[in-house]
Amino acid sequence: MAYLDNTPEQQREMLATIGAASIEELFAQIPADLQLKRPLDMPPALSEMELQTALGNLAKQNSQRQGTCFLGGGCYDHFIPAAVDAIASRSEFYTAYTPYQAEASQGSLQAFYEFQTLVCQLTGMEVSNASLYEGGTSVSEAAFMAMRVTGRYKKVVLLGSVHPEYRAVVDTYFSDLDSEAVVVPTPNGTADLAAVRDALDDQTACLVIQQPNFFGCLEEARELVEAAHEVGALAVVSCDPISLGMLVRPGEYGADIVVAEGQSLGTPLQYGGPFLGILACRQKFMRKMPGRLIGETTDRDGRPCFVLNLQAREQHIRRDKATSNICTNQGLIALRATAYMALLGKQGLGEVAELSCRKAHYVAERLTAIDGFSLAYDRPFFKEFTLRCENGAAEALDKAAQAGFDIGPLLSQFDANNQSDLLVATTECRTRQEIEALADALAQ
């Protein structure tokens, strides 16, 4: 937005309207020791040309290193077809980013409707909303949704193999509530079914599973879902959308709510966001779902059109009936995901998944052949694994960085007691030459 100043006369008019005699009186409620008593320390004004030169010089101070990406932990470097950028860059979609009167923007509504359809096909679920903000809050929204469905508000059980940041978001949401987030430890990389059953009871609203999990391992998801259902709890599965090109869809092994971080569907890493939250569920739970739901109908002339079928937020209905305070959806990022899934199709997504899986296993084979490196967990994995480093994970990460490779994150970032493990992820983008060069760097 352009900066618009105001004249002394306009300031006097605004002060008179709100009943303050002066700006000092307006800000008198701020303690005196917190008020700045001098003019702002601003540099002299620059012309447009001078300003561009100054900003360019500042930008040159940034690191120019472009490391080859083997980073994991929930964000992945997948190839994005140029058509995704071309479609998402159209001004019609930019200007209709968060339409509150969305029926006026049929193009956006149709795109979100197609997004919902594709998400249902991808996850094996019956209903999807038009997206949430990102993967972490999607887990929390699913937990609250499970509470509304089951009428159980006291307890949610999460596996210790769920992303630590997702669990931290749940803890933040629960911090001022009577609800408890119980975490089942997963010291062996995946959940122990007996330990999970011990944590579940008739007060549990849901069991949250991540598949593949944070460590890259594959859980025994079907058995975990059945354990949740045995006590009347819902099964919430957080998944990697790309993995569904190979793995069984959550809807096929009984998941009640499926959530995901949708960044890998056509959105670049871009320093951590904005990203995309995905949420899909069984149709019988639809009215307990947060966010927006787009539907298709006909107008008065019989022509097909798209409308907001469901938008149960506080601004529309009584607060105690609202499903969340989400007022919109992650429109542009959902549009990117729609274009990406439509461009690749079922076959293309399967090829991306298979290439990522095969290359990740080749990386694991090459790295674990080096003295001092091993797999932390003897479990099946998809495109990501936990690498154990005898000489310390930080040293391995630094050695890779010096050779131009980005690996990680370090698990010490989430557990200070774990100084030996880090994550390594591989997508279809990585070449044999890059994989060999990474292995050579770590072997030095």
Side-chain angles (χ1 to χ4, degrees), residues 17 45 51 61 69 72 95 97 103 107 139 199 207 223 250 266 285 288 331 338 343 354 359 361 394:
T17 300
L51 180 60
Q61 297 178 30
C69 185
T95 54
Y97 173 53
E103 289 82 355
V139 171
L207 171 65
E223 288 77 3
F285 304 139
K288 304 296 184 181
T338 305
L343 283 163
E354 183 174 353
K359 292 184 178 187
H361 282 75

Side-chain angles (χ1 to χ4, degrees), residues 124-251:
M125 303 305 286
E126 296 165 330
V127 181
S128 166
N129 68 12
S131 77
L132 300 176
Y133 294 138
E134 37 68 47
T137 52
S138 296
V139 171
S140 297
E141 290 290 349
F144 283 118
M145 178 179 168
M147 291 177 179
R148 293 190 293 271
V149 170
T150 61
R152 302 174 178 181
Y153 292 89
K154 293 295 185 182
K155 181 179 176 182
V156 165
V157 175
L158 304 95
L159 301 186
S161 54
V162 171
H163 198 307
E165 291 176 352
Y166 295 2
R167 289 189 277 117
V169 174
V170 173
D171 289 339
T172 301
Y173 270 93
F174 283 11
S175 58
D176 289 323
L177 303 175
D178 292 332
S179 306
E180 178 186 13
V182 176
V183 177
V184 180
T186 52
N188 298 317
T190 56
D192 176 73
L193 188 57
V196 173
R197 283 202 166 101
D198 288 342
L200 296 169
D201 57 31
D202 60 5
Q203 297 300 306
T204 305
C206 67
L207 171 65
V208 181
I209 306 157
Q210 186 169 344
Q211 179 77 333
N213 68 26
F214 174 68
F215 306 112
C217 303
L218 299 184
E219 300 279 359
E220 296 291 347
R222 191 182 300 274
E223 288 77 3
L224 291 166
V225 167
E226 291 172 355
H229 290 166
E230 287 170 5
V231 297
L234 299 191
V236 175
V237 175
S238 175
C239 63
D240 173 359
I242 296 296
S243 73
L244 301 181
M246 282 187 70
L247 303 181
V248 176
R249 299 182 299 172

Side-chain angles (χ1 to χ4, degrees), residues 265-285:
L265 300 175
T267 297
L269 295 173
Q270 55 191 21
Y271 301 99
F275 284 169
L276 171 68
I278 290 172
L279 188 147
C281 67
R282 302 287 179 190
Q283 185 170 351
K284 61 183 177 181
F285 304 139

Side-chain angles (χ1 to χ4, degrees), residues 35 82 119-120 137 164-165 174 178 267 347 350-351 354 361 366 387 407 422:
Q35 296 187 35
V119 168
C120 288
T137 52
E165 291 176 352
F174 283 11
D178 292 332
T267 297
Q347 179 178 340
E351 290 175 1
E354 183 174 353
H361 282 75
R366 290 290 290 112
L387 184 68
I407 59 176
L422 56 78

